Amino acid sequence: MVALFDFLWFDGKLLGVEWSAWKVVGWLGNAVFTARFLVQWRASEKRKQVVVPSLFWWLSIIGSLLLLAYALFYRRDSVMIAAYAFNWIPYFRNLLLHHRNKLTRQFCPAPDCGVASPADARFCATCGCKLS
Ligand SMILES: [Zn+2]
């Protein structure tokens, strides 16, 4: 218990970090950006194929914008600014493509299926479930 406390609290600070509002923004950006991998991994394991859900792109946009704000207004670090200045563009584009694609398809309502079919399909090609 003492070792855990020593790990969490040292140099008189939580994790030894000099905390400020911008540090919270930076760590939040890191947490959101990292969470997208967990979301994508879980979605892929669930379907047993590579799946990139729209939540992945939302987390990518939010995480990279938080990290860009941290880089621009707190760190003023050109390397970090360059790393996050433009990557929201393909994330946003992928989200838009996701949305457009979703509008032209319907998804199987069966709990363990969820496979996408063309909008005019009457039955799921994977499990045979009737589509609405
Ligand atoms: Zn199905």
Side-chain angles (χ1 to χ4, degrees), residues 107-117 123-131:
F107 294 88
C108 179
D112 292 336
C113 187
V115 169
S117 300
F123 297 96
C124 173
T126 301
C127 73
C129 184
K130 186 172 176 14
L131 302 171

Side-chain angles (χ1 to χ4, degrees), residues 42-122:
R42 184 177 181 277
S44 294
E45 288 296 333
K46 194 173 169 186
R47 296 265 292 273
K48 301 294 180 211
Q49 66 183 53
V50 177
V51 176
V52 185
S54 60
L55 181 59
F56 175 88
W57 301 116
W58 278 113
L59 293 172
S60 300
I61 290 170
I62 294 166
S64 61
L65 289 179
L66 285 168
L67 288 166
L68 178 62
Y70 175 77
L72 273 173
F73 303 115
Y74 181 71
R75 292 294 305 265
R76 299 171 200 267
D77 183 310
S78 60
V79 173
M80 270 192 85
I81 292 168
Y84 293 104
F86 303 106
N87 61 356
W88 62 272
I89 296 169
Y91 299 155
F92 185 76
R93 178 69 180 151
N94 288 340
L95 198 54
L96 199 64
L97 291 172
H98 229 281
H99 182 69
R100 283 184 187 161
N101 197 19
K102 202 171 186 176
L103 290 177
T104 61
R105 299 190 309 169
Q106 57 181 326
F107 294 88
C108 179
D112 292 336
C113 187
V115 169
S117 300
D120 60 345
R122 298 181 65 200

